[in-house]
Amino acid sequence: MKMWGLLRQKASAGGVPLTSIRPVISALRTYSSAAKEITVREALNSALDEEMSADPKVFLMGEEVGEYQGAYKITKGLLDKYGPERVLDTPITEAGFTGIGVGAAYYGLRPVVEFMTFNFSMQAIDHIINSAAKSNYMSAGQISVPIVFRGPNGAAAGVGAQHSQCYAAWYASCPGLKVLAPYSSEDARGLLKAAIRDPDPVVFLENELLYGESFPVSAEALDSSFCLPIGKAKIEREGKDVTITVFSKMVGHGLKAAEILAKEGISAEVINLRSIRPLDRSTINTSVRKTNRLVTVEEGFPQHGVGAEICTSVIEESFGYLDAPVERIAGADVPMPYAANLERMAVPQVEDIVRAAKRACYRSVPMAAAA
């Protein structure tokens, strides 16, 4: 009750309209001047720090985000800087603190709710779907819910079936939510800032295995005003023979596959989706109309997946341009095995993408014929 009273007091004192968000810097330009390399962990931490500094309505809550500095050290140093009123350690009760976060957003605050893993968001899915995602529509636009749900998503390493699921397709199927999945440090900074500033609920799907990865970041991306547009994909590598759509950790796999394919004379265009909902259908279809072939890649289950939606979009809008059947690469349609050798077989690998692209380009025996 003390926490709820604090949130109510802070919201009533602000006086800023719920729908007001700061203008964003257009990031449709391609930045080429890399200033330095930072890890994805550092990128997320700096984005949180800068947004908390810029807007007193932004606060963090979740398990171990304060005293322990975050389970993955994403929130390191923020408790000391902003105090326990804005960095709130919660009990192990996702349904409880997520509901408090949604209520705080109703009052005009901008909560950033951390799940130690998105698998635990299932404990809070009623608040995410029924309270956060639907309130703006059900109130005829009178209630905005500016809240971010963030944390690691998808397979890590050796954590078994109950801690390895990808929730991109789960949450992207729900109207009212925006779903983002960063890959690089620049993605992480720009998209998290956009999520926090957005007037709608955003599901922000990170990847545990990427936290320690370093990426070059441009000087522009290090500016505190930097922000990436929600709903816009990035062409990571241009090509003319086959389009490969990827997101999160799979972007790295897609780029490695493209390097291998290039040595065999196949020019692959790699699209980093960045935003799962809204989906940048325009960039995808424009690419397919150029390459005439499509390979989709994701870690999640194949049925009703992100790749299935992309394939449908291309068939609906660009069917006449296709020179080969679309190819879908996804996780195995089984609960994630615990054994390391089986776990590797259950998630997409670089060689899977290479084989699919070569099939699409008629450079190998089709699966049906091989069977």
Side-chain angles (χ1 to χ4, degrees):
M1 292 302 293
K2 181 178 180 182
M3 182 185 294
W4 181 247
L6 174 64
L7 298 177
R8 178 177 297 185
Q9 180 181 0
K10 281 184 169 291
S12 60
V16 179
L18 298 181
T19 55
S20 67
I21 55 173
R22 297 191 303 281
V24 302
I25 296 295
S26 173
L28 298 178
R29 299 170 293 172
T30 300
Y31 297 123
S32 57
S33 56
K36 65 175 184 178
E37 286 198 356
I38 63 173
T39 65
V40 171
R41 177 182 289 108
E42 291 168 336
L44 293 168
N45 178 269
S46 65
L48 289 170
D49 185 10
E50 289 170 11
E51 294 306 300
M52 292 182 74
S53 177
D55 188 349
K57 290 180 176 293
V58 178
F59 73 97
L60 315 180
M61 63 190 308
E63 297 156 5
E64 299 184 345
V65 299
E67 295 290 346
Y68 190 66
Q69 309 286 312
Y72 302 98
K73 307 309 177 198
I74 304 300
T75 55
K76 184 178 180 180
L78 299 182
L79 174 63
D80 292 339
K81 186 171 182 178
Y82 296 102
E85 289 188 352
R86 295 184 64 194
V87 183
L88 305 172
D89 278 321
T90 66
I92 305 175
T93 168
E94 284 78 13
F97 66 74
T98 304
I100 291 174
V102 173
Y106 284 170
Y107 273 83
L109 298 182
R110 292 184 175 273
V112 179
V113 175
E114 176 179 309
F115 296 118
M116 198 174 292
T117 161
F118 254 94
N119 297 274
F120 299 157
S121 74
M122 294 181 70
Q123 302 294 324
I125 201 165
D126 181 56
H127 291 300
I128 298 170
I129 301 296
N130 279 327
S131 299
K134 300 177 182 177
S135 291
N136 185 263
Y137 173 82
M138 294 179 70
S139 68
Q142 296 179 76
I143 299 176
S144 293
V145 192
I147 187 171
V148 177
F149 306 101
R150 56 154 295 270
N153 170 71
V159 292
Q162 294 175 325
H163 296 77
S164 300
Q165 295 179 127
C166 175
Y167 287 88
W170 287 55
Y171 287 116
S173 69
C174 180
L177 289 178
K178 295 175 181 177
V179 181
L180 307 179
Y183 164 62
S184 66
S185 300
E186 190 160 315
D187 286 358
R189 255 184 73 80
L191 291 176
L192 184 54
K193 283 172 163 287
I196 294 172
R197 298 175 190 182
D198 201 85
D200 297 313
V202 179
V203 172
F204 196 84
L205 303 173
E206 302 156 11
N207 186 281
E208 178 185 339
L209 299 178
L210 288 176
Y211 284 149
E213 293 288 322
S214 295
F215 294 89
V217 177
S218 64
E220 291 88 347
L222 292 172
D223 189 272
S224 61
S225 62
F226 177 73
C227 188
L228 287 172
I230 293 176
K232 182 64 180 175
K234 178 187 179 184
I235 298 177
E236 296 280 353
R237 179 181 177 130
E238 293 190 356
K240 60 183 178 62
D241 295 328
V242 59
T243 297
I244 301 175
T245 63
V246 279
F247 64 93
S248 190
K249 185 174 181 288
M250 291 295 104
V251 177
H253 282 25
L255 291 171
K256 289 177 182 177
E259 291 179 7
I260 295 171
L261 290 166
K263 295 176 182 177
E264 301 191 33
I266 296 175
S267 173
E269 183 148 291
V270 180
I271 299 178
N272 173 5
L273 296 177
R274 283 181 169 171
S275 177
I276 311 301
R277 186 183 183 107
L279 187 64
D280 189 357
R281 301 171 194 273
S282 175
T283 294
I284 295 168
N285 278 278
T286 298
S287 176
V288 170
R289 292 181 183 192
K290 176 178 67 173
T291 66
N292 310 116
R293 295 170 176 84
L294 172 67
V295 176
T296 71
V297 187
E298 63 187 306
E299 278 190 306
F301 301 130
Q303 186 160 330
H304 307 130
V306 175
E309 178 64 25
I310 292 172
C311 290
T312 300
S313 175
V314 168
I315 288 171
E316 289 175 343
E317 300 180 38
S318 305
F319 180 75
Y321 292 84
L322 288 172
D323 287 343
V326 296
E327 295 274 352
R328 279 194 301 155
I329 303 298
D333 200 18
V334 297
M336 179 65 72
Y338 178 72
N341 59 329
L342 297 179
E343 181 182 64
R344 188 182 189 281
M345 295 173 66
V347 294
Q349 303 297 327
V350 173
E351 54 265 31
D352 298 322
I353 304 172
V354 171
R355 282 194 294 265
K358 291 174 72 173
R359 284 195 301 268
C361 294
Y362 301 109
R363 297 282 290 273
S364 64
V365 179
M367 284 193 299

